[in-house]
Amino acid sequence: MHDVVRRVDPEIAAVLDAELARQRDQLEMIASENFTSPAVMATMGSTLTNKYAEGYPGKRYYGGCVNVDVAESLARDRATALFGAERANVQPHSGATANLTAFLSFLKPGDKVLGLSLSHGGHLTHGHPVNFSGLLFQAVHYEVDQATETINYDRLREQAKQERPKLLIGGASAYPRAWDFVALRSIADEVGAILLFDMAHIAGLVAGGVHASPVPFCDIVTSTTHKTLRGPRGGLILCKQEHFAAINKMNFPGVQGGPLMHVIAAKAVCFHEAMQESFRDYARRMVANAQVLGASLMERGFRLVSGGTDNHLLLVNVTNKGLTGKEMEELLEKVGITANKNTVPFDQQSPFVTSGVRLGTPALTTRGMGPDQMREIAAIMESAVTARGDDAALAALKGRSSELCRAFPLYPDLA
Ligand code: DSN
């Protein structure tokens, strides 16, 4: 595949080669990343990228949509079947545009929204002041409880009763615990709010049956397709029939122009893959790996936010190890582990420094790694902290990470 590019553009071919080598040789632990299948990648690199298809299947503004109509219909039908939803819009280019569509389908600028604070694990698009969601709407935020570092739904209920938001938002990008959809629904009902759940991080866990589904409880569910769901980079909206027309109209022409038909077809492949028993097994292993990694880290004196995990990610507060999140991220890079610094709840450090690192198991689980490898990774992390400043010792630890990577080859047929 890279050779096709090499003949035309050697500089970009070199980037592809280097990135393949990086992904093969590093322990990828960014919680929002994964390794999608060769079938998904082949579909993204197909002739469907050439096609304009503004509109929806059967009702397009362009001729020649016969084949892409089949692809989009398959993607929609599979998304609704996979998640038990009434309707799906598979056109959002990303989770952010899915959320923009959701907001504008139900709200007017200036309306009040209530979402989890970014610094407590929430997402930019849930009302952060620098994002459309905070620029166009009156955003207020809930936080996790200081003692338990989990969401206190009674306190959230009280806050919602005071604030009376028009939209209540659930979902997070750095929250290691399961969500209580019954509580969220009853809070939304009590204050007359629309309930949006952004399941981007946990979509694969929901599809694989290891996290409760938000779909029966929410007015609208948004997602990405590339995190735990392991599909192409893109967005997704699930909703009830009564909201479908408004959401479709807001996604196109309201928010987006031409849909990316190669990505939509690749979403169809991803949904098909996620319907298989092997994906349910994958989802179970993702969570089991996170739990083993968490337990091993705690045995080694690492402090986990909320004391553990119910999902695919861990948030490690590294303050007691004498490090900032930034320093830990850099240290992990030196020993062959890719992760990201992350604020922890009530963080005293700036978002550029932070007190934590976020670790995820989606990508390593895709490689086939299991509990033994998670224990070895926890040991490498502990040794890295002890060996900081000792380049020879860190190089030896990097060798142990490389050994793990070699034992679980990635994309063996890709070159
Ligand atoms: N940037 C994503 C993440 O890393 O969680 C969320 O959009």
Side-chain angles (χ1 to χ4, degrees), residues 32 123 173 201 227 358:
S32 49
H123 191 254
S173 51
H201 260 269
K227 296 187 175 84
R358 187 182 64 162

Side-chain angles (χ1 to χ4, degrees), residues 391-402:
D391 286 345
L394 293 176
L397 291 170
K398 187 169 185 177
R400 277 165 65 181
S401 296
S402 299

Side-chain angles (χ1 to χ4, degrees), residues 30-33 95-96 121-125 172-174 198 200-201 224 226-227 233 312-313 340 342 358:
I30 292 177
S32 49
E33 294 187 9
H123 191 254
L124 269 179
T125 56
S173 51
D198 177 346
H201 260 269
T224 53
H226 51 273
K227 296 187 175 84
R233 195 155 285 274
H312 62 296
L313 69 83
N340 65 281
N342 213 103
R358 187 182 64 162

Side-chain angles (χ1 to χ4, degrees), residues 37-60:
S37 72
V40 165
M41 287 200 287
T43 308
M44 278 192 283
S46 70
T47 54
L48 301 190
T49 194
N50 299 332
K51 191 69 199 96
Y52 251 120
E54 285 177 14
Y56 290 98
K59 207 171 165 206
R60 305 282 192 184

